[in-house]
Amino acid sequence: MALLQISGVASGYGEMQILWDIALAVEHGQTVLLLGANSAGKTTLLRTIIGLLPCWQGEILFEGAPLQGLKPAARIRRGIAFMSELGVFPDLTIDENIRLGGYFLGGAEVRRRAERLFGLFPDLAKRRGEPAASLSGGQRKMLGIAKALVSEPKLLLMDEPSSGLAPVFVKQVIETLQTAITGGTALLIAEQNVAFLALADRGFLIEGGHVRLSGTRAELAKNDAVKAAYFGLD
Amino acid sequence: MQLLEYALVGGVLYGLFFSLVGIGLNVVFGVLRMINLAHGQFIVLGGFGAWLLYQDLHLNPIFGVVLAVLGAVAVGIPLYWAVVPRLQQSRDPEMLSFILFFGLAQMIDAGALLAFGASERSIPNGTLGAGSLGILGQAFPDSWWVAATVSVLAILGLYLFLSRTRLGYATRAVMANRAEALASGIDVDQVSVLAFVIGLALAGIAGVFVPFLLGSVSPSLGDALTTTSFAVIIIGSLGRPLGTVVGGLVFGLGTMLMETYFSSWSSLVPYALLVIIVLVRPAGLLGRAVREA
């Protein structure tokens, strides 16, 4: 049984449909990349999975149980975390941001997990009392990752983790994900930066709200359409 | 020089009271992104609560503070669930909330008129202390000092709640970004109902001191108090409750200075400050830009 199984999903904002008949699966511990240009529907899909947008049609199963009808907080308790493009609350301190990532946990447990994460992110630990707004873009992404990991999710949904970052920081985010994601957490990453393919076991190419292509990392890397659109090769 | 000292000390006391008057409106706006146009009417109800305690039960009106909190819980929770979730699901929650809370304000005005009549109701100053306390050679009645002290304690309590408790972090998170808060697993409904009740409680507590600082309480006072509260929070920073303290102090000092030197113009203070701040610094005195990546 797949960790996340999506079939026939349609969704959108208000009356505007963005997604049509989306089907994909994420296995336990797997990293899956949703590759697509701006407005392709990647963010809409992640927001539908976490429950910020309604699923109009189709089915979203997590560990075999349907997610429809559950509030985002209940989905997070089941083991899903979401790191949005913004990822953090700029007005709150670094420490407060991390603790909010485990909002449903007891105080002692969230403190224990926060300390473990501060061990992984020493730059954040040094500045834990400062507002997140004082961090650079790259550091904010690190904080967003740390915040998302406090709940020790089985599945982490990441929306454009490279957004607004210089290439050197994108590399840093990828390295952080490689070292920080342990214990079998699966990743579903929405990106237009093809560098994230290096992390992925599988990928899905989304265009105009439809899944146009799917395959393993090697298959996508060899695909002419992906090469043309994302590697700049004809 | 004595006049200036009088205006400054009085302005700070008056300003602290008006911080309390406005802060509940800012808490509700910060979390719900809705302007409670009935805010002034809830202040008036707090004033009538204190008056009833004094007039009918012969109790010290300061107990009105407890009554305001209990009343906010009793009224705020059912009112929230009856109104707010439906508004938030509508196409234009901000505009509909204006209309709905305006209607609620008119209903409270009419109810208060039926219950208490149109007369202005006052409470003798001595009920909160018969003497006066002086600073910089300027004496003010005890009731002003009690009002300022309760205002400071209420605002301090709110500050400690927002900065020291888990629910307080969550409240600030919802104020910052509702969708991000939802996606972080925060129970936004729980935070919202709590903020609504806190907003009403703070309004009711401020109302207890209206008969002392404004001379009397009457059903027709609600709209003016809403307008002043709105001016105070815009001056400080809309959506940042603690910015209201700055707004309240600026309003209090401005009003007292005008009353001292140009008394016939003093009623223009909230509107003049509102226009100036919106033109010069629309984010409010404490509004600040967030560093972008």
Side-chain angles (χ1 to χ4, degrees):
Chain A
M1 181 176 50
L3 178 66
L4 178 74
Q5 182 78 51
I6 293 174
S7 51
V9 163
S11 180
Y13 296 84
E15 289 173 6
M16 187 168 66
Q17 186 164 356
I18 304 290
L19 300 178
W20 281 266
D21 196 25
I22 298 285
L24 62 83
V26 180
E27 302 293 336
H28 290 268
Q30 200 176 41
T31 296
V32 173
L33 186 66
L34 294 174
L35 201 56
N38 276 337
S39 309
K42 309 182 299 295
T43 299
T44 306
L45 178 56
L46 296 189
R47 290 168 74 91
T48 306
I49 296 169
I50 197 65
L52 292 176
L53 291 173
C55 177
W56 296 358
Q57 236 175 27
E59 196 168 45
I60 305 174
L61 300 176
F62 185 69
E63 295 185 309
L67 290 179
Q68 284 104 309
L70 295 180
K71 289 182 176 180
R75 299 180 195 216
I76 289 168
R77 277 194 204 96
R78 289 218 178 159
I80 305 175
F82 176 62
M83 178 183 157
S84 71
E85 202 173 328
L86 177 66
V88 299
F89 299 102
D91 284 355
L92 272 65
T93 67
I94 291 163
D95 191 42
E96 289 167 345
N97 265 285
I98 289 186
R99 286 179 187 218
L100 280 178
Y103 185 69
F104 63 92
L105 300 166
E109 181 60 16
V110 83
R111 271 196 297 277
R112 186 187 67 74
R113 293 189 190 185
E115 288 311 316
R116 187 182 68 78
L117 284 162
F118 277 131
L120 285 173
F121 298 94
D123 286 349
L124 298 179
K126 280 183 229 158
R127 302 173 61 182
R128 61 172 70 191
E130 295 178 25
S134 68
L135 297 173
S136 69
Q139 287 169 323
R140 279 196 218 179
K141 294 293 180 188
M142 299 301 160
L143 177 58
I145 293 169
K147 173 171 163 273
L149 291 178
V150 178
S151 62
E152 296 182 354
K154 295 170 191 164
L155 172 65
L156 171 53
L157 311 174
M158 304 183 81
D159 190 14
E160 303 269 4
S162 76
S163 159
L165 296 184
V168 63
F169 292 119
V170 173
K171 190 165 170 266
Q172 202 181 344
V173 168
I174 291 173
E175 285 167 2
T176 302
L177 285 172
Q178 284 169 331
T179 54
I181 306 294
T182 53
T185 299
L187 297 178
L188 180 58
I189 306 173
E191 257 301 342
Q192 46 187 318
N193 188 328
V194 80
F196 280 80
L197 205 51
L199 275 175
D201 299 301
R202 287 187 65 78
F204 291 81
L205 181 65
I206 300 197
E207 280 177 1
H210 296 83
V211 173
R212 293 291 184 208
L213 191 68
S214 69
T216 63
R217 172 175 53 196
E219 286 166 349
L220 286 180
K222 281 191 292 190
N223 184 278
D224 289 340
V226 174
K227 279 201 264 185
Y230 297 96
F231 291 95
L233 303 172
D234 291 321
Chain B
M1 192 62 190
Q2 271 200 333
L3 277 179
L4 179 65
E5 286 165 352
Y6 177 85
L8 292 178
V9 176
V12 169
L13 297 177
Y14 205 58
L16 287 170
F17 166 68
F18 270 97
S19 303
L20 182 62
V21 165
I23 203 163
L25 184 63
N26 217 355
V27 170
V28 172
F29 177 78
V31 171
L32 302 179
R33 297 287 146 184
M34 291 175 185
I35 295 286
N36 175 9
L37 282 183
H39 180 75
Q41 277 68 19
F42 285 107
I43 297 175
V44 166
L45 290 181
F48 276 120
W51 180 77
L52 280 176
L53 286 177
Y54 166 74
Q55 188 71 23
D56 289 357
L57 301 177
H58 309 296
L59 291 172
N60 190 310
I62 196 74
F63 290 115
V65 170
V66 180
L67 190 64
V69 175
L70 295 176
V73 173
V75 173
I77 294 174
L79 182 61
Y80 174 89
W81 288 112
V83 168
V84 177
R86 287 177 200 212
L87 283 176
Q88 283 170 336
Q89 283 163 13
S90 66
R91 278 172 183 264
D92 192 350
E94 288 85 3
M95 180 51 76
L96 273 181
S97 70
F98 263 109
I99 297 165
L100 194 139
F101 283 117
F102 176 73
L104 182 64
Q106 302 312 305
M107 285 168 64
I108 295 173
D109 278 349
L113 197 61
L114 283 173
F116 303 106
S119 309
E120 295 181 347
R121 308 288 180 175
S122 57
I123 305 173
N125 251 328
T127 52
L128 290 184
S132 60
L133 257 171
I135 188 169
L136 295 174
Q138 304 303 318
F140 285 88
D142 285 349
S143 55
W144 279 52
W145 292 97
V146 173
T149 305
V150 171
S151 300
V152 169
L153 290 175
I155 292 163
L156 188 65
L158 180 67
Y159 169 77
L160 291 174
F161 164 72
L162 291 174
S163 62
R164 297 277 190 274
T165 68
R166 197 173 67 108
L167 210 46
Y169 306 158
T171 305
R172 284 161 54 215
V174 177
M175 286 176 179
N177 189 325
R178 193 177 182 86
E180 185 72 31
L182 268 170
S184 298
I186 292 168
D187 187 338
V188 173
D189 283 333
Q190 181 194 43
V191 167
S192 299
V193 73
L194 182 65
F196 192 68
V197 169
I198 288 174
L200 296 195
L202 291 168
I205 293 170
V208 171
F209 301 101
V210 163
F212 301 97
L213 274 90
L214 304 184
S216 63
V217 61
S218 70
S220 61
L221 203 55
D223 291 341
L225 283 167
T226 300
T227 308
T228 306
S229 303
F230 196 61
V232 163
I233 66 176
I234 293 280
I235 294 165
S237 177
L238 193 61
R240 283 179 185 271
L242 298 175
T244 314
V245 180
V246 174
L249 287 172
V250 169
F251 171 76
L253 286 164
T255 302
M256 289 303 279
L257 284 167
M258 289 294 281
E259 284 207 349
T260 304
Y261 294 105
F262 308 98
S263 59
S264 54
W265 293 88
S266 65
S267 58
L268 277 180
V269 167
Y271 310 104
L273 286 171
L274 185 66
V275 170
I276 292 167
I277 291 293
V278 167
L279 288 175
V280 175
R281 199 173 160 84
L285 293 176
L286 243 63
R288 59 188 158 87
V290 171
R291 177 182 162 180
E292 295 303 332

